[in-house]
Amino acid sequence: MVCLGNICRSPLAHGILESKLPKDQFYVDSAGTANYHVGDLPDQRSIAVAKANGIDITHQRGRQFKVADFDTFDYIYVMDHSNFENVIKLARNTNDIAKVKLILEVDDTITDKRVPDPYYGGDSGFVNVFELLDTATSIISKDLLKPSSN
Ligand code: 4NP
């Protein structure tokens, strides 16, 4: 799960997806394309909306996306088009590129495929992000848990 700062959107995507998958079978992580918040806790507003929905994300710390992540992960979900461009710039080949998807592409009911950056807004932006990611990660986890996808 990748956003810009790895403190608002991707920590939520990480925590929510992790809560929907068996821990012994799936490794979920998140990163930012920028290095502004390396080592930082998620934003307090992300922590709060996650907690209100029964998910603890306080063990997470910010890290920057790195080329080796293309080898570690089978799927790389980005939150918006800018994140997409930044991750694609680091791709080494078509295999790497094929792993990168806008997370809202999984949700056919949504036309605007950006998970909006809530950093400079109020708490309602974080609730909106949670809801978008809750729906998208339900679709992703259902798909990953289908017997045919393994
Ligand atoms: P995120 O939000 O990409 O969802 O983690 C942001 C967090 C911090 C900054 C920008 C976006 N920043 O400029 O520090």
Side-chain angles (χ1 to χ4, degrees), residues 3-81:
C3 63
L4 175 61
N6 191 211
I7 55 166
C8 298
R9 293 165 294 175
S10 60
L12 280 173
H14 170 179
I16 302 167
L17 181 62
E18 201 166 56
S19 76
K20 297 179 193 228
L21 292 171
K23 283 199 182 1
D24 58 336
Q25 291 177 51
F26 294 93
Y27 175 54
V28 183
D29 197 9
S30 60
T33 59
N35 64 359
Y36 315 141
H37 295 284
V38 171
D40 291 356
L41 268 171
D43 188 285
Q44 287 303 321
R45 296 162 295 178
S46 286
I47 290 175
V49 73
K51 190 177 176 191
N53 287 278
I55 297 169
D56 180 10
I57 59 168
T58 59
H59 59 285
Q60 295 186 30
R61 295 294 181 274
R63 74 172 182 91
Q64 188 173 24
F65 183 84
K66 54 183 189 288
V67 173
D69 289 324
F70 286 113
D71 299 320
T72 307
F73 298 94
D74 297 314
Y75 305 94
I76 298 169
Y77 289 106
V78 299
M79 302 297 128
D80 65 28
H81 300 80

XYZ file of all heavy atoms in Angstrom, residues 3-81:
621
model
N 1.361 5.531 -0.543
C 0.880 6.905 -0.747
C 2.101 7.826 -0.783
O 3.204 7.365 -1.064
C -0.152 7.299 0.306
S 0.443 7.326 2.007
N 1.907 9.097 -0.502
C 3.028 10.035 -0.555
C 3.846 9.994 0.740
O 5.048 9.757 0.725
C 2.491 11.451 -0.826
C 3.501 12.594 -0.793
C 4.585 12.413 -1.853
C 2.801 13.938 -0.983
N 3.187 10.224 1.862
C 3.908 10.365 3.121
C 3.977 9.118 3.982
O 4.762 9.046 4.921
N 3.144 8.135 3.690
C 3.007 6.912 4.503
C 2.618 7.232 5.949
O 3.055 6.563 6.893
C 4.293 6.062 4.459
C 4.151 4.661 5.053
O 5.109 4.111 5.588
N 2.981 4.081 4.984
N 1.807 8.290 6.116
C 1.272 8.534 7.465
C -0.254 8.642 7.486
O -0.855 8.486 8.539
C 1.893 9.778 8.145
C 1.734 11.033 7.289
C 3.341 9.526 8.543
C 2.018 12.316 8.056
N -0.891 8.938 6.347
C -2.356 9.093 6.359
C -3.071 7.937 5.659
O -3.729 7.121 6.305
C -2.766 10.411 5.688
S -2.125 11.871 6.528
N -2.958 7.859 4.322
C -3.749 6.896 3.560
C -3.205 5.475 3.600
O -3.951 4.527 3.918
C -3.876 7.367 2.096
C -4.700 8.624 1.941
C -4.511 9.254 0.572
N -3.145 9.758 0.395
C -2.672 10.279 -0.731
N -3.445 10.336 -1.794
N -1.433 10.744 -0.787
N -1.929 5.298 3.234
C -1.430 3.915 3.132
C -1.377 3.177 4.480
O -1.622 1.959 4.496
C -0.092 3.837 2.390
O 0.910 4.575 3.029
N -1.138 3.857 5.609
C -1.224 3.105 6.874
C -2.635 2.569 7.128
O -2.804 1.482 7.695
C -0.828 4.132 7.939
C 0.007 5.128 7.196
C -0.619 5.226 5.833
N -3.647 3.344 6.698
C -5.027 2.851 6.838
C -5.254 1.664 5.918
O -5.799 0.633 6.335
C -6.035 3.972 6.526
C -6.281 4.979 7.651
C -7.167 6.119 7.160
C -6.915 4.280 8.858
N -4.849 1.788 4.656
C -5.021 0.682 3.708
C -4.326 -0.576 4.231
O -4.876 -1.684 4.181
C -4.455 1.079 2.341
N -3.126 -0.395 4.759
C -2.325 -1.488 5.321
C -3.070 -2.151 6.491
O -3.279 -3.361 6.502
C -0.990 -0.849 5.745
C -0.066 -1.665 6.553
N 1.165 -1.190 6.954
C -0.157 -2.913 7.082
C 1.786 -2.109 7.668
N 1.010 -3.158 7.764
N -3.500 -1.330 7.445
C -4.167 -1.866 8.638
C -5.489 -2.540 8.311
O -5.812 -3.589 8.869
N -6.247 -1.925 7.405
C -7.576 -2.487 7.104
C -7.428 -3.807 6.343
O -8.082 -4.802 6.666
C -8.447 -1.496 6.295
C -8.627 -0.162 7.033
C -9.819 -2.106 6.027
C -9.203 0.968 6.166
N -6.547 -3.835 5.328
C -6.380 -5.088 4.576
C -5.849 -6.191 5.484
O -6.341 -7.326 5.449
C -5.454 -4.899 3.359
C -5.277 -6.172 2.527
C -6.596 -6.660 1.933
C -4.240 -5.984 1.412
N -4.858 -5.830 6.316
C -4.279 -6.814 7.243
C -5.358 -7.437 8.134
O -5.317 -8.631 8.444
C -3.236 -6.100 8.111
C -2.206 -6.973 8.745
C -1.065 -6.115 9.272
O -1.322 -5.196 10.069
O 0.074 -6.365 8.869
N -6.346 -6.620 8.522
C -7.411 -7.118 9.409
C -8.348 -8.095 8.698
O -9.118 -8.793 9.345
C -8.223 -5.943 9.971
O -9.115 -5.425 8.995
N -8.276 -8.146 7.369
C -9.193 -8.997 6.597
C -8.535 -10.272 6.066
O -9.193 -11.056 5.382
C -9.753 -8.197 5.401
C -10.580 -6.996 5.832
C -11.120 -6.197 4.674
C -11.640 -4.873 5.191
N -12.920 -4.463 4.758
N -7.235 -10.428 6.336
C -6.499 -11.582 5.797
C -5.846 -12.386 6.913
O -5.405 -11.807 7.915
C -5.403 -11.094 4.841
C -5.858 -10.467 3.525
C -4.664 -9.846 2.798
C -6.556 -11.484 2.638
N -5.736 -13.711 6.730
C -5.031 -14.516 7.739
C -3.538 -14.166 7.762
O -2.882 -14.144 6.714
C -5.246 -15.960 7.259
C -5.754 -15.878 5.865
C -6.274 -14.504 5.619
N -3.029 -13.838 8.954
C -1.639 -13.345 9.097
C -0.584 -14.368 8.679
O 0.524 -14.010 8.287
C -1.388 -12.959 10.554
C -2.022 -11.635 10.903
C -1.408 -11.038 12.143
C -2.061 -9.734 12.550
N -3.159 -9.264 11.732
N -0.939 -15.661 8.804
C 0.051 -16.686 8.474
C 0.164 -16.912 6.961
O 1.031 -17.650 6.517
C -0.284 -18.001 9.193
C -1.669 -18.522 8.850
O -2.531 -17.708 8.444
O -1.897 -19.730 8.967
N -0.681 -16.295 6.190
C -0.647 -16.511 4.733
C -0.310 -15.269 3.918
O 0.067 -15.375 2.754
C -2.002 -17.028 4.248
C -2.310 -18.435 4.714
C -3.698 -18.842 4.244
O -4.042 -18.720 3.076
N -4.511 -19.309 5.162
N -0.494 -14.099 4.512
C -0.299 -12.861 3.747
C 0.551 -11.867 4.520
O 0.368 -11.692 5.729
C -1.653 -12.209 3.425
C -2.494 -13.031 2.490
C -3.425 -13.940 2.991
C -2.346 -12.910 1.108
C -4.198 -14.713 2.133
C -3.111 -13.681 0.252
C -4.048 -14.584 0.763
N 1.455 -11.219 3.798
C 2.276 -10.156 4.380
C 1.857 -8.842 3.747
O 1.963 -8.660 2.535
C 3.757 -10.439 4.109
C 4.687 -9.350 4.573
C 4.654 -8.901 5.892
C 5.608 -8.774 3.705
C 5.506 -7.899 6.325
C 6.467 -7.771 4.133
C 6.415 -7.340 5.447
O 7.251 -6.358 5.871
N 1.330 -7.959 4.567
C 0.859 -6.656 4.101
C 1.777 -5.591 4.688
O 2.158 -5.663 5.858
C -0.599 -6.392 4.558
C -1.114 -5.065 4.010
C -1.519 -7.539 4.138
N 2.136 -4.593 3.878
C 2.964 -3.503 4.393
C 2.585 -2.227 3.648
O 1.785 -2.259 2.695
C 4.454 -3.833 4.190
C 5.359 -2.965 5.054
O 4.867 -2.228 5.934
O 6.582 -3.015 4.841
N 3.138 -1.104 4.075
C 2.886 0.155 3.384
C 4.162 0.980 3.337
O 5.119 0.717 4.075
C 1.759 0.935 4.067
O 2.091 1.232 5.401
N 4.148 1.960 2.443
C 5.319 2.827 2.259
C 4.865 4.133 1.620
O 3.771 4.210 1.051
C 6.358 2.139 1.360
N 5.721 5.140 1.708
C 5.464 6.415 1.037
C 6.466 6.596 -0.084
O 7.581 6.069 -0.023
N 6.083 7.350 -1.109
C 7.053 7.620 -2.172
C 8.052 8.678 -1.710
O 9.162 8.735 -2.203
C 6.349 8.064 -3.471
O 5.577 9.241 -3.207
C 5.466 6.963 -4.019
N 7.655 9.509 -0.744
C 8.551 10.537 -0.211
C 9.191 10.050 1.086
O 8.735 9.070 1.686
C 7.759 11.815 0.060
N 10.233 10.766 1.507
C 10.925 10.357 2.746
C 10.615 11.288 3.918
O 11.266 11.219 4.943
C 12.435 10.288 2.504
C 13.033 11.641 2.172
O 12.316 12.647 2.104
N 14.337 11.692 1.955
N 9.575 12.128 3.772
C 9.277 13.144 4.812
C 9.018 12.543 6.184
O 9.269 13.175 7.196
C 8.002 13.938 4.470
C 7.814 14.430 3.074
C 6.543 14.400 2.475
C 8.877 14.961 2.340
C 6.336 14.881 1.192
C 8.672 15.440 1.052
C 7.410 15.392 0.478
O 7.194 15.854 -0.777
N 8.419 11.371 6.229
C 7.932 10.858 7.513
C 8.509 9.488 7.869
O 7.858 8.699 8.558
C 6.399 10.815 7.508
C 5.787 12.177 7.415
N 5.743 13.035 8.483
C 5.257 12.842 6.365
C 5.187 14.179 8.103
N 4.878 14.090 6.824
N 9.732 9.240 7.405
C 10.382 7.969 7.720
C 10.538 7.848 9.245
O 11.000 8.780 9.906
C 11.756 7.873 7.010
C 12.539 6.658 7.499
C 11.560 7.807 5.495
N 10.090 6.724 9.790
C 10.196 6.469 11.231
C 9.051 7.025 12.054
O 8.969 6.770 13.257
N 8.157 7.794 11.413
C 7.056 8.425 12.155
C 5.872 7.480 12.351
O 5.613 6.597 11.534
C 6.527 9.660 11.411
C 7.519 10.809 11.394
O 8.597 10.684 12.016
O 7.207 11.830 10.743
N 5.129 7.735 13.425
C 3.830 7.094 13.633
C 2.870 7.575 12.548
O 3.028 8.676 12.015
C 3.237 7.575 14.957
C 3.490 6.810 16.234
C 2.968 7.646 17.399
C 2.786 5.458 16.192
N 1.830 6.784 12.247
C 0.766 7.315 11.393
C 0.196 8.607 12.001
O 0.289 8.832 13.214
C -0.283 6.202 11.387
C 0.471 4.958 11.685
C 1.574 5.379 12.621
N -0.395 9.433 11.143
C -1.079 10.653 11.576
C -2.121 10.304 12.650
O -2.819 9.281 12.544
C -1.766 11.272 10.345
C -2.352 12.640 10.613
O -3.404 12.718 11.277
O -1.761 13.632 10.128
N -2.237 11.148 13.652
C -3.173 10.890 14.768
C -4.609 10.707 14.265
O -5.396 9.968 14.855
C -3.126 12.038 15.785
C -1.852 12.045 16.625
C -1.613 10.744 17.390
O -2.544 10.121 17.924
N -0.356 10.295 17.437
N -4.950 11.400 13.170
C -6.320 11.295 12.647
C -6.540 9.936 11.976
O -7.647 9.378 12.026
C -6.596 12.453 11.686
C -6.549 13.815 12.380
C -6.390 14.955 11.397
N -5.116 14.924 10.695
C -4.736 15.789 9.757
N -5.551 16.759 9.399
N -3.552 15.680 9.184
N -5.501 9.365 11.364
C -5.612 8.003 10.818
C -5.696 6.992 11.955
O -6.490 6.044 11.909
C -4.404 7.669 9.921
O -4.510 8.342 8.695
N -4.869 7.207 12.984
C -4.909 6.325 14.153
C -6.317 6.325 14.756
O -6.868 5.267 15.084
C -3.857 6.762 15.208
C -2.441 6.479 14.684
C -4.099 6.062 16.549
C -1.320 6.980 15.586
N -6.924 7.525 14.844
C -8.239 7.662 15.482
C -9.344 6.984 14.673
O -10.181 6.270 15.247
C -8.565 9.140 15.689
N -9.359 7.191 13.347
C -10.436 6.584 12.551
C -10.274 5.071 12.498
O -11.257 4.324 12.515
C -10.574 7.237 11.150
C -9.458 6.843 10.210
C -11.922 6.897 10.517
N -9.029 4.597 12.495
C -8.801 3.145 12.535
C -9.313 2.583 13.867
O -10.062 1.598 13.895
C -7.316 2.836 12.362
N -8.935 3.254 14.954
C -9.334 2.798 16.295
C -10.854 2.769 16.437
O -11.423 1.828 17.026
C -8.722 3.723 17.348
C -8.879 3.216 18.767
C -8.192 4.123 19.772
C -8.468 3.627 21.185
N -8.055 4.608 22.187
N -11.518 3.784 15.888
C -12.991 3.846 15.959
C -13.628 2.654 15.247
O -14.780 2.304 15.496
C -13.480 5.158 15.347
N -12.854 2.048 14.347
C -13.355 0.885 13.600
C -12.680 -0.412 14.058
O -12.671 -1.416 13.327
C -13.137 1.109 12.101
C -14.101 2.146 11.542
O -15.238 1.834 11.229
N -13.663 3.396 11.477
N -12.089 -0.375 15.238
C -11.538 -1.591 15.844
C -10.192 -2.039 15.297
O -9.802 -3.195 15.474
N -9.456 -1.115 14.636
C -8.161 -1.494 14.050
C -7.050 -0.646 14.668
O -7.139 0.587 14.718
C -8.192 -1.312 12.513
C -9.245 -2.254 11.893
C -6.818 -1.571 11.896
C -9.535 -1.967 10.426
N -6.013 -1.332 15.162
C -4.878 -0.633 15.774
C -3.750 -0.514 14.747
O -3.253 -1.530 14.260
C -4.401 -1.436 16.997
C -3.226 -0.771 17.694
O -2.889 0.391 17.361
O -2.625 -1.428 18.570
N -3.361 0.714 14.419
C -2.259 0.889 13.454
C -1.039 1.545 14.126
O -0.132 2.015 13.437
C -2.692 1.699 12.202
C -3.207 3.095 12.558
C -3.734 0.918 11.398
C -3.372 4.014 11.318
N -1.013 1.549 15.462
C 0.065 2.273 16.159
C 1.415 1.535 16.156
O 2.416 2.083 16.594
C -0.317 2.594 17.621
O -0.583 1.358 18.315
C -1.542 3.484 17.687
N 1.429 0.298 15.645
C 2.714 -0.408 15.517
C 3.427 -0.006 14.220
O 4.590 -0.336 14.016
C 2.505 -1.926 15.520
C 1.621 -2.395 14.406
N 0.244 -2.215 14.439
C 1.899 -2.978 13.221
C -0.279 -2.695 13.307
N 0.713 -3.156 12.558
N 2.712 0.701 13.345
C 3.300 1.074 12.050
C 4.235 2.286 12.193
O 3.987 3.168 12.986
C 2.202 1.417 11.048
C 1.291 0.257 10.677
C 0.325 0.657 9.574
O 0.613 1.496 8.734
N -0.848 0.053 9.575
N 5.268 2.297 11.356
C 6.177 3.448 11.279
C 6.416 3.765 9.816
O 6.509 2.853 8.982
C 7.540 3.146 11.942
C 7.470 2.912 13.444
C 7.044 4.160 14.222
N 6.996 3.913 15.669
C 5.938 3.412 16.316
N 4.836 3.085 15.657
N 5.980 3.244 17.623
N 6.542 5.048 9.507
C 6.724 5.471 8.117
C 8.006 4.931 7.504
O 9.042 4.878 8.158
N 7.899 4.519 6.257
C 9.107 4.143 5.510
C 8.937 4.569 4.057
O 7.811 4.838 3.607
C 9.393 2.648 5.625
C 8.477 1.747 4.809
C 9.002 0.316 4.852
N 8.194 -0.585 4.047
C 8.437 -0.849 2.748
N 9.441 -0.273 2.099
N 7.659 -1.690 2.088
N 10.036 4.652 3.341
C 9.979 5.077 1.941
C 9.976 3.854 1.028
O 10.709 2.880 1.280
C 11.172 5.977 1.618
C 11.072 6.619 0.229
C 12.161 7.643 -0.021
O 13.221 7.600 0.590
N 11.900 8.555 -0.940
N 9.165 3.929 -0.021
C 9.127 2.847 -1.008
C 10.518 2.680 -1.618
O 11.193 3.661 -1.925
C 8.104 3.175 -2.112
C 7.952 2.078 -3.127
C 7.101 1.008 -2.894
C 8.691 2.103 -4.313
C 6.979 -0.024 -3.825
C 8.579 1.078 -5.243
C 7.720 0.013 -5.002
N 10.921 1.421 -1.820
C 12.239 1.170 -2.413
C 12.140 0.125 -3.524
O 11.181 -0.667 -3.555
C 13.246 0.728 -1.340
C 12.812 -0.469 -0.507
C 13.869 -0.757 0.553
C 13.625 -2.053 1.286
N 12.477 -2.009 2.212
N 13.122 0.128 -4.406
C 13.097 -0.765 -5.568
C 12.912 -2.228 -5.151
O 12.186 -2.978 -5.802
C 14.382 -0.584 -6.428
C 14.441 -1.615 -7.540
C 14.419 0.819 -7.017
N 13.536 -2.626 -4.046
C 13.426 -4.023 -3.584
C 11.986 -4.419 -3.273
O 11.653 -5.614 -3.259
C 14.304 -4.229 -2.342
N 11.116 -3.421 -3.040
C 9.702 -3.749 -2.786
C 9.058 -4.436 -3.992
O 8.115 -5.200 -3.829
C 8.912 -2.496 -2.393
C 9.275 -1.988 -1.008
O 9.540 -2.822 -0.123
O 9.302 -0.758 -0.815
N 9.573 -4.181 -5.177
C 9.046 -4.868 -6.364
C 9.317 -6.376 -6.275
O 8.588 -7.171 -6.865
C 9.686 -4.332 -7.649
C 9.208 -2.964 -8.060
C 10.060 -1.871 -8.034
C 7.899 -2.769 -8.498
C 9.625 -0.621 -8.434
C 7.449 -1.522 -8.898
C 8.319 -0.436 -8.872
N 10.370 -6.759 -5.560
C 10.685 -8.187 -5.400
C 9.932 -8.795 -4.218
O 9.531 -9.959 -4.259
C 12.195 -8.372 -5.166
C 13.006 -7.850 -6.333
O 12.579 -8.054 -7.491
O 14.052 -7.222 -6.086
N 9.745 -8.002 -3.173
C 9.100 -8.505 -1.950
C 7.609 -8.758 -2.139
O 7.063 -9.706 -1.577
C 9.296 -7.487 -0.797
O 10.691 -7.200 -0.682
C 8.747 -8.011 0.523
N 6.950 -7.882 -2.939
C 5.478 -7.921 -2.994
C 4.937 -8.384 -4.343
O 5.511 -8.084 -5.388
C 4.924 -6.533 -2.640
C 5.289 -6.122 -1.235
C 6.425 -5.350 -0.995
C 4.553 -6.579 -0.149
C 6.803 -5.021 0.299
C 4.926 -6.252 1.151
C 6.046 -5.472 1.368
N 3.824 -9.107 -4.290
C 3.135 -9.549 -5.510
C 2.229 -8.463 -6.053
O 1.974 -8.404 -7.260
C 2.287 -10.794 -5.212
C 3.148 -11.962 -4.789
O 4.171 -12.204 -5.450
O 2.810 -12.627 -3.785
N 1.698 -7.643 -5.143
C 0.757 -6.577 -5.529
C 1.190 -5.276 -4.874
O 1.500 -5.261 -3.677
C -0.662 -6.902 -5.050
C -1.176 -8.244 -5.506
C -1.044 -9.369 -4.696
C -1.788 -8.386 -6.749
C -1.506 -10.614 -5.114
C -2.252 -9.626 -7.174
C -2.108 -10.728 -6.350
O -2.571 -11.948 -6.765
N 1.181 -4.213 -5.651
C 1.521 -2.890 -5.120
C 0.357 -1.955 -5.443
O 0.109 -1.636 -6.614
C 2.846 -2.370 -5.731
C 3.990 -3.315 -5.348
C 3.125 -0.934 -5.267
C 5.293 -3.067 -6.086
N -0.386 -1.581 -4.398
C -1.551 -0.709 -4.588
C -1.177 0.713 -4.199
O -0.711 0.952 -3.089
C -2.723 -1.187 -3.730
C -3.336 -2.469 -4.222
C -3.125 -3.666 -3.565
C -4.123 -2.469 -5.373
C -3.682 -4.853 -4.034
C -4.681 -3.646 -5.847
C -4.460 -4.822 -5.171
O -5.014 -5.986 -5.633
N -1.437 1.643 -5.134
C -1.146 3.058 -4.874
C -2.455 3.825 -4.714
O -3.504 3.405 -5.212
C -0.284 3.668 -6.004
C 1.060 2.956 -6.109
C -1.015 3.625 -7.344
N -2.369 4.953 -4.003
C -3.590 5.687 -3.638
C -4.039 6.678 -4.713
O -5.225 6.956 -4.828
C -3.380 6.446 -2.309
C -3.007 5.545 -1.157
S -4.298 4.340 -0.734
C -3.361 2.811 -0.765
N -3.081 7.246 -5.469
C -3.487 8.206 -6.508
C -2.517 8.170 -7.689
O -1.516 7.445 -7.670
C -3.660 9.626 -5.934
C -2.359 10.237 -5.410
O -1.276 9.888 -5.914
O -2.434 11.074 -4.497
N -2.825 8.974 -8.697
C -2.051 8.941 -9.939
C -0.619 9.430 -9.744
O 0.297 8.964 -10.418
C -2.761 9.752 -11.026
C -4.135 9.235 -11.347
N -5.234 9.521 -10.559
C -4.576 8.419 -12.329
C -6.294 8.915 -11.058
N -5.934 8.236 -12.126
